[in-house]
Amino acid sequence: MTQRLSFAAGIATQEYLTAEEGAIRAHEEECTHWYVDMSLPSDHAHEWPQPRRRSLVKMASGLGVRPIVHGNFRAPLSTEIPEVAAGVQAYLTAELQLASDLGAPLIVHGGALADPRPTESGRWNALQRFLRALEQGLSAASGLGVEVWVENLAHYPRFRPFTYVFTRYADFVTVLDYLPEVAFIFDIGHANVNQSPPLRLFHEMTSAIKAISVSDNDGRADSHLGLGRGNVPLKELTDTIVKTHWSGLVAFETRGAGVDEGVHALQAHLAG
């Protein structure tokens, strides 16, 4: 399937299935990769005894697909509570060990700030706490031979009980300045929520973006719609990818729409 998307070094599917079911689905959809989703109860970090890890590695090899460990986005990596920060660092180490055992990259997220009216200073402080946690995580990842990809979450400015951390263009710049070795997975669906997706990132940090995640929405919430069913600027995305000669893994997180449909949607924009 990667041959049908000129810029795709690999194609991943996220079907919100157990790790084993996801591997089978990825094979059926002719994908190269699939998500092992740590936010699913079946795949929480404590649900991975060694026999299951070995079994999944064997299964993936037989099916010809490779895992990507999608870290639990609920992990509070930006917490201001020292005791919680220590616990979440231990949790991150468990995700890193799983990724190492599976031979997979690990996707991490900034967590959330519990504040219905977040200030800019509050967002900044939360991002700084995330940076410190990420720095420790990258150090541990290096020793385990794991590549870490930082994923942006949806931007909810106000009037929700929380706001996510690491959501905006300036956040990418801050993280890369602080950790020049960092790698990103750019989620354009998340980047479309309550803001215009910062496609300039592909011009400014092409080599740092190792993967993209694609889905659609109406700009108000992260709906994970099939491509073309919302207002995510897909044509602008493909034009930018072509102009910058970007190449990397493309992950489809589209509920109710298959990977093949998404590939055809991107192909149409490339040809248009």
Side-chain angles (χ1 to χ4, degrees):
M1 186 176 288
T2 57
Q3 295 176 348
R4 288 188 278 162
L5 278 179
S6 57
F7 56 84
I11 291 181
T13 180
Q14 160 64 308
E15 306 268 352
Y16 306 96
L17 301 170
T18 67
E20 292 80 5
E21 292 169 333
I24 294 170
R25 183 66 61 84
H27 173 73
E28 292 173 345
E29 295 202 76
E30 300 181 5
C31 296
T32 59
H33 295 72
W34 91 102
Y35 277 12
V36 176
D37 192 342
M38 302 296 284
S39 68
L40 297 178
S42 61
D43 291 350
H44 281 173
H46 62 272
E47 296 291 348
W48 287 94
Q50 287 299 323
R52 186 184 183 193
R53 301 179 190 217
R54 292 192 293 268
S55 176
L56 186 64
V57 169
K58 183 178 180 180
M59 171 187 279
S61 177
L63 293 173
V65 293
R66 298 173 61 186
I68 297 168
V69 177
H70 187 267
N72 193 333
F73 70 96
R74 301 184 186 94
L77 289 174
S78 55
T79 182
E80 75 276 20
I81 305 171
E83 293 82 359
V84 175
V88 78
Q89 199 64 50
Y91 173 78
L92 179 57
T93 300
E95 288 192 339
L96 286 165
Q97 185 62 62
L98 176 64
S100 177
D101 291 346
L102 299 183
L106 172 67
I107 297 174
V108 301
H109 311 84
L113 173 64
D115 191 337
R117 296 173 181 268
T119 62
E120 280 303 312
S121 62
R123 290 180 186 278
W124 173 258
N125 290 334
L127 182 62
Q128 294 304 304
R129 293 191 295 270
F130 171 55
L131 279 174
R132 291 192 290 272
L134 180 60
E135 185 175 28
Q136 293 182 55
L138 290 177
S139 177
S142 177
L144 291 168
V146 174
E147 185 174 18
V148 173
W149 299 345
V150 182
E151 180 178 18
N152 56 304
L153 290 169
H155 181 55
Y156 296 112
R158 292 167 69 83
F159 307 122
R160 287 178 178 254
F162 68 93
T163 185
Y164 286 129
V165 177
F166 189 70
T167 63
R168 302 176 296 178
Y169 166 77
D171 299 338
F172 278 90
V173 174
T174 299
V175 171
L176 190 61
D177 283 348
Y178 187 79
L179 298 168
E181 73 276 22
V182 78
F184 300 114
I185 174 168
F186 176 68
D187 190 314
I188 192 168
H190 292 168
N192 191 60
V193 177
N194 296 305
Q195 60 182 335
S196 296
L199 297 179
R200 60 192 286 193
L201 290 170
F202 286 90
H203 293 275
E204 298 174 6
M205 47 187 77
T206 308
S207 61
I209 301 174
K210 303 300 182 182
I212 61 173
S213 175
V214 294
S215 64
D216 217 329
N217 59 64
D218 64 2
R220 293 179 295 179
D222 180 27
S223 309
H224 288 273
L225 302 175
L227 301 189
R229 300 178 188 177
N231 60 20
V232 167
L234 297 171
K235 175 60 175 171
E236 290 86 343
L237 172 65
T238 55
D239 285 351
T240 301
I241 284 173
V242 170
K243 288 177 183 176
T244 58
H245 305 288
W246 180 85
S247 177
L249 184 130
V250 181
F252 290 86
E253 295 191 65
T254 49
R255 293 188 177 102
V259 171
D260 197 56
E261 178 182 325
V263 168
H264 284 302
L266 292 179
Q267 282 178 321
H269 288 296
L270 283 170

